[in-house]
Amino acid sequence: MSVTISVELSSARLPTAAKWAQTIREHGFAMDLATDFDPLRHTGFLPCKYQGRDAGFEYYAEKRGWLSRLRGRDLVISFITGADLD
């Protein structure tokens, strides 16, 4: 089983990797996210530490079509975990 969390946003307002990491910690998640990736271009596995243990997830940035752009959100970021939800 996998779990996907998707965030729809404007590519013009896409946070940096460091800002993603900071915001995740500020919201109470004990996760240390690597910040040496390009949030717009990275595809695939993204390692992190969760509660001090090695973990990670799949990360995908996908441009959306014209209908989404009308709402000002032309990008979807997907975070996908596998069988081990860490």
Side-chain angles (χ1 to χ4, degrees), residues 8 19 73:
E8 191 175 299
K19 185 64 178 173
R73 299 180 191 140

Side-chain angles (χ1 to χ4, degrees), residues 9-17 20 37-44 46 59-64 74-77:
L9 63 155
S10 165
S11 59
R13 297 179 55 202
L14 180 64
T16 64
W20 276 115
F37 72 98
D38 181 338
L40 187 58
R41 292 179 181 80
H42 181 83
T43 297
L46 190 57
Y59 175 100
Y60 298 97
E62 179 183 10
K63 289 282 192 164
R64 291 298 189 174
D74 63 340
L75 184 68
V76 173
I77 305 291

Side-chain angles (χ1 to χ4, degrees), residues 2-71:
S2 65
V3 175
T4 301
I5 297 173
S6 296
V7 179
E8 191 175 299
L9 63 155
S10 165
S11 59
R13 297 179 55 202
L14 180 64
T16 64
K19 185 64 178 173
W20 276 115
Q22 176 188 350
T23 302
I24 288 167
R25 300 260 333 151
E26 286 174 354
H27 282 84
F29 292 96
M31 184 176 90
D32 294 316
L33 178 65
T35 58
D36 60 346
F37 72 98
D38 181 338
L40 187 58
R41 292 179 181 80
H42 181 83
T43 297
F45 186 74
L46 190 57
C48 65
K49 292 234 182 239
Y50 178 70
Q51 297 181 340
R53 299 186 334 229
D54 289 336
F57 50 89
E58 297 292 320
Y59 175 100
Y60 298 97
E62 179 183 10
K63 289 282 192 164
R64 291 298 189 174
W66 67 270
L67 185 57
S68 293
R69 286 194 302 267
L70 289 177
R71 295 192 319 257

